[in-house]
Amino acid sequence: MAEPLILALDQGTTSTRAILFDLKGAPVAEAGRPLEQFYPDDGWVEHDAEEIFAASVAVLRETLAKSGRPAEDVAAIGITNQRETVVIWDKATGKPIHRAIVWQDRRTAPTCERLRAAGREPQVTDITGLLLDPYFSGTKIAWILDQVDGARARAEAGELLAGTMDSWVIWKLTGGKVHATDATNASRTMLFDLKAQAWSDEMLEMLDVPRALLPTVLDCAGDYGSTAPELLGRAIPIRGVAGDQQAALMGQGCIRAGEMKATYGTGCFMLVNTGEHLAPSRSRLLTTVAARLGGRATYALEGSIFIAGAALQWINEGLGVPGGGAGVEKLAQSAREDHGVVLVPAFTGLGAPWWDANARGGLFGMTRDTGLAEIAQAAFDACALQTRDLIEAMRADAPGAFGRDVELRIDGGMSRSAWFSQRLADLTGVAVGRATYMEMTALGAALFAGLGAGVYASVEEAVAARPSTERMDPALSSHGREAAYARWLDAVARVKTTA
């Protein structure tokens, strides 16, 4: 009998992809489709949920066809998704009543501001681990119910269903038989009680969301039904689900307290596993579910950097340095080491732990002999120094999660650079483990599905299937590192607009 395979569906913000993995975590075949974005108003971002489902089926079919393996060889499907993006659909027809509202969408900012002014944010954070922000799904659901004629009454009558993209795709793949989500996605809705691991009556009332709309919350490795046989040639079990950043945490093997990963794309998402300790953040980080397995939740602290690779794009496109990211890196490597230039890339404000939406970028420490090379190096260094900010905040919030041999496991576009990876280790003072395989989100979904299907006997066996990492230890002196961080903190203080 052929070795079983695991099929991962990675439903992202700009594309939908499928990757077929063997049990050693090696990719066998893959396929992808771009996803159209809609911008109906300033700060509004929408997706066509029907397009997402059609693309999901197409990439699953194409991946199987490319592999040359029969559907019978697939033990399970794992699903990972863009978090917080939400859709509401008609239970009888399966048709969405409005386009999906994307996580980036800001239309519910006035609702969040009104609740914050009413003093509700401490309650929100205590229950959900989140901040009052339109980023999360709850206010998006309420907005659709209020804007679509008759939707609220129909929701209360049990005629409508709501969910993040995992729920929508699962419901469609199973022919409307399963309306479920996992605990990681639920923890991003601003409707989920982290301690009780259940939908919160207080949050449902605060955000005016009827409970009848919401999916059942299951473990990350659980029974999400099976695909309708006509879709993929046979009924394939769906056995793993996780939001994209939590799936990447799994893919990076961060299953123990203190293990952490950072994904460097346009921005950066960084999570540290805090184990079964639910660490409330005093540094305005997010507390979220890392995973739920066997009914037991583990938690993570999460911080986001708004501008990471986007700073290199600015150097490339805005300042005219040719060659894309690789060209910017080559230029940065030629900079004088003692240049002292600091770039704070607050082009769209500062993310965690500063949370200053009105801050704007600044370039400091320039002299007559400062050139593009020094500015380019400062752009790379800004990514490392923002990461140091998050590490310091996480260490303050969950000191027990940080052991002696801390390693930051990294993936995403910027991690392809060995030079940046070493600079990251030098400027944070933390060893860096650079992934040799970049599709950690899809791999994490596959590992959860393998657990749910029983092809891995334990979570330890599952993460042992991940590819090796290349370790970089800090080489810069502590004096040099702390001097660079002091310059960074001084520069941040100069661009901030809040105390």
Side-chain angles (χ1 to χ4, degrees), residues 27 60 99 150 160 169 186 199 210 232 280 305 327 354 376 386 397 442 480:
L60 289 169
R99 280 189 190 141
L160 302 179
V169 171
W199 298 119
L232 301 173
I305 295 168
W354 308 109
Q386 289 177 104
D397 282 342

Side-chain angles (χ1 to χ4, degrees), residues 177-423:
K177 292 179 180 177
V178 178
H179 185 218
T181 189
D182 85 295
T184 68
N185 277 297
S187 75
R188 311 297 296 187
T189 60
M190 211 156 68
L191 299 170
F192 191 67
D193 187 323
L194 286 186
K195 302 182 191 77
Q197 286 292 298
W199 298 119
S200 162
D201 290 331
E202 295 117 300
M203 292 308 306
L204 293 173
E205 181 182 356
M206 186 189 301
L207 300 185
D208 203 10
V209 173
R211 180 182 287 272
L213 278 172
L214 299 178
T216 302
V217 182
L218 304 176
D219 288 356
C220 299
D223 185 350
Y224 291 84
S226 297
T227 60
E230 65 272 16
L231 293 178
L232 301 173
R234 79 169 182 96
I236 302 177
I238 303 169
R239 293 294 182 265
V241 179
D244 54 9
Q245 298 307 318
Q246 285 92 336
L249 195 71
M250 177 68 167
Q252 285 280 24
C254 298
I255 59 172
R256 299 172 189 84
E259 294 178 327
M260 57 186 176
K261 73 93 195 175
T263 300
Y264 293 91
T266 300
C268 171
F269 287 95
M270 182 174 165
L271 284 80
V272 62
N273 189 320
T274 62
E276 294 187 34
H277 171 58
L278 200 166
S281 177
R282 296 173 297 280
S283 307
R284 289 180 70 77
L285 300 174
L286 305 178
T287 305
T288 195
V289 174
R292 198 171 85 188
L293 298 168
R296 298 181 70 173
T298 52
Y299 299 95
L301 287 168
E302 178 175 327
S304 54
I305 295 168
F306 293 160
I307 302 292
L312 313 186
Q313 186 179 19
W314 171 67
I315 301 284
N316 169 224
E317 298 174 1
L319 301 186
V321 173
V328 177
E329 179 185 347
K330 185 177 179 181
L331 180 64
Q333 290 177 4
S334 70
R336 294 182 295 106
E337 278 300 323
D338 61 346
H339 58 79
V341 176
V342 179
L343 169 67
V344 183
F347 304 146
T348 54
L350 286 169
W354 308 109
W355 294 113
D356 188 339
N358 296 315
R360 289 297 175 262
L363 195 57
F364 302 93
M366 291 190 294
T367 59
R368 280 289 298 270
D369 56 356
T370 296
L372 280 176
E374 286 70 36
I375 296 171
Q377 191 175 96
F380 278 96
D381 288 355
C383 298
L385 292 161
Q386 289 177 104
T387 304
R388 168 85 186 259
D389 284 338
L390 294 181
I391 289 171
E392 295 300 328
M394 289 173 175
R395 203 187 300 270
D397 282 342
F402 284 81
R404 285 185 178 179
D405 188 26
V406 176
E407 179 183 86
L408 175 62
R409 297 172 188 170
I410 65 171
D411 54 80
M414 290 183 69
S415 70
R416 297 180 191 274
S417 165
W419 176 79
F420 168 69
S421 302
Q422 182 60 56
R423 204 152 183 92

Side-chain angles (χ1 to χ4, degrees), residues 123-144:
Q123 182 186 8
V124 171
T125 301
D126 180 61
I127 294 170
T128 70
L130 308 176
L131 302 172
L132 265 173
D133 195 277
Y135 175 30
F136 305 111
S137 315
T139 57
K140 301 180 191 334
I141 294 172
W143 187 93
I144 295 173

